């Protein structure tokens, strides 16, 4: 029986992000098209005698029970009364608190790894149910590809995959709290909601322009007002790329372009203009969230 498993956990972006209503329980009803990209963390899971041990090469990521990896492992260990423990080594490449679901994708990988290493035979749907208890983005991070997410973001419907889209990702040296941005969202002040149906149609018929032209994120109305640095970055990205869009609740901004060469060129131009605290990466859309190495 295998004792070790190496997984790639891909980040997530929103092609559209719409908030439809605020619920009484504090959650928001959303409608969003979520997409896996090839910016990824590498996680190595090893069966050990006892405990949950996390090692990560990033100072802002906790290694105790505050880590979503810990919570995902704990959930399966206690619910299923599993023997032994797990050691998880994380090579973190996804910027932290950036709106790219870095924590959620690590949690999803943990559910997949423990299911495999302990031969639990849980179905994808069973893992998704457990993942949703830890975070609304985790079911998507198990399914991956291109999905329409509704409800609080946990109800998923697979969509035709985007034909490979290239993007430049710029993560400013700022941490933005997702909760704070949602608290400051005033739905009656949102002027333009995404045309989600048009993006779905564009994906179905393979019309990239229809997809790109309609990428919209309602949370920009909040984050760009609170953080002028993010608004300025978005303006700069609008000049250099075909479409600029904030990722999730920010502060990361995505710039979509045609082809890898153009993406690399924009990256170089941004490196010349922005100070070294800004992380700049090139990525592309992919069809899976978790990959076995
Ligand atoms: P969300 O949009 O869901 O808020 P995010 O992608 O913006 O997520 P994450 O990278 O998941 O942000 O990090 C948010 C916080 O979660 C971090 O500040 C960190 O303290 C905590 N965290 C817990 N587990 C992890 C993990 N495995 N990787 C990264 N951050 C984690």
């Amino acid at each position: 029986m295998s004792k070790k498993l190496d997984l790639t956990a891909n980040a997530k972006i929103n092609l559209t992000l719409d908030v439809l209503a605020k619920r009484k329980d504090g959650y928001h009803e959303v409608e969003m098209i979520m997409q896996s990209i090839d910016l990824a963390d590498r996680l190595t899971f090893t069966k050990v005698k006892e405990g949950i041990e996390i090692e990560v090469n990033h100072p802002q990521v906790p290694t105790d029970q505050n880590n979503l990896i810990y919570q995902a492992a704990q959930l399966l260990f206690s619910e299923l009364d599993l023997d032994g423990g797990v050691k998880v080594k994380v090579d973190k490449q996804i910027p932290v608190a950036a709106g790219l679901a870095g924590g959620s994708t690590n949690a999803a990988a943990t559910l997949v790894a423990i299911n495999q290493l302990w031969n639990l035979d849980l179905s994808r749907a069973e893992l998704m149910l457990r993942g949703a208890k830890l975070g609304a983005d985790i079911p998507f991070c198990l399914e991956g590809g291109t999905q329409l997410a509704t409800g609080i973001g946990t109800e998923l419907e697979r969509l035709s995959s985007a034909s490979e889209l290239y993007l430049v990702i710029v993560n400013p040296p700022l941490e933005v709290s997702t909760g704070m941005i949602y608290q400051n969202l005033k739905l009656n002040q949102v002027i333009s909601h995404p045309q989600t149906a048009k993006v779905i149609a564009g994906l179905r018929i393979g019309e990239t322009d229809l997809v790109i032209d309609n990428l919209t994120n309602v949370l920009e109305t909040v984050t760009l007002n609170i953080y002028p640095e993010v608004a300025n970055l978005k303006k700069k990205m609008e000049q250099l790329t075909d479409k600029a869009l904030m990722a999730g609740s920010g502060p990361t901004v995505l710039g979509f372009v045609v082809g890898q060469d153009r993406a690399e060129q924009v990256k170089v131009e941004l490196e010349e203009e922005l100070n070294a605290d800004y992380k700049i990466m090139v990525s592309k859309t992919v069809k899976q969230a978790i990959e076995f190495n």
Side-chain angles (χ1 to χ4, degrees), residues 15-148:
L15 298 179
T16 61
L17 196 164
D18 202 2
V19 181
L20 306 177
K22 249 181 199 181
R23 303 191 336 177
K24 290 209 179 72
D25 59 9
Y27 282 100
H28 290 79
E29 289 281 331
V30 294
E31 181 175 70
M32 47 197 192
I33 301 177
M34 300 167 107
Q35 172 68 53
S36 303
I37 57 170
D38 71 353
L39 172 65
D41 293 339
R42 283 281 292 261
L43 295 96
T44 307
F45 298 85
T46 312
K47 285 178 101 167
V48 293
K49 273 205 186 104
E50 57 179 11
I52 300 167
E53 192 190 327
I54 299 167
E55 191 186 313
V56 51
N57 59 347
H58 194 299
Q60 276 153 273
V61 179
T63 53
D64 58 10
Q65 64 275 19
N66 291 312
N67 195 309
L68 280 166
I69 295 172
Y70 191 104
Q71 293 167 25
Q74 175 92 37
L75 187 84
L76 292 183
F77 272 88
S78 57
E79 185 189 324
L80 302 167
D81 204 13
L82 304 181
D83 286 335
V86 67
K87 181 174 172 193
V88 189
K89 198 167 169 211
V90 188
D91 175 14
K92 175 111 337 236
Q93 298 298 325
I94 304 172
V96 176
L100 297 167
S104 301
T105 195
N106 288 181
T110 305
L111 296 173
V112 169
I114 292 177
N115 191 32
Q116 173 103 356
L117 286 170
W118 272 262
N119 294 311
L120 302 179
D121 252 351
L122 294 171
S123 66
R124 178 71 64 78
E126 287 172 304
L127 293 180
M128 285 166 69
L129 268 178
R130 286 162 177 87
K133 289 186 191 163
L134 299 173
D137 280 353
I138 298 176
F140 173 79
C141 292
L142 286 157
E143 280 285 74
T146 313
Q147 307 264 348
L148 178 68

Side-chain angles (χ1 to χ4, degrees), residues 219-235:
L219 298 181
E220 284 183 1
T221 54
V222 186
T223 313
L224 301 192
N225 266 322
I226 300 178
Y227 298 98
E229 309 90 307
V230 184
N232 287 337
L233 175 61
K234 192 183 168 206
K235 274 198 204 109

Side-chain angles (χ1 to χ4, degrees), residues 168-170 240 260-274 280-282:
V168 184
I169 301 172
V170 183
L240 290 174
Q260 183 167 6
D261 289 351
R262 178 67 193 142
E264 297 290 353
Q265 205 180 342
V266 171
K267 179 174 182 265
V268 172
E269 288 168 33
L270 285 165
E271 278 165 352
E272 279 165 14
E273 280 196 43
L274 298 171
I280 309 171
M281 293 145 281
V282 165

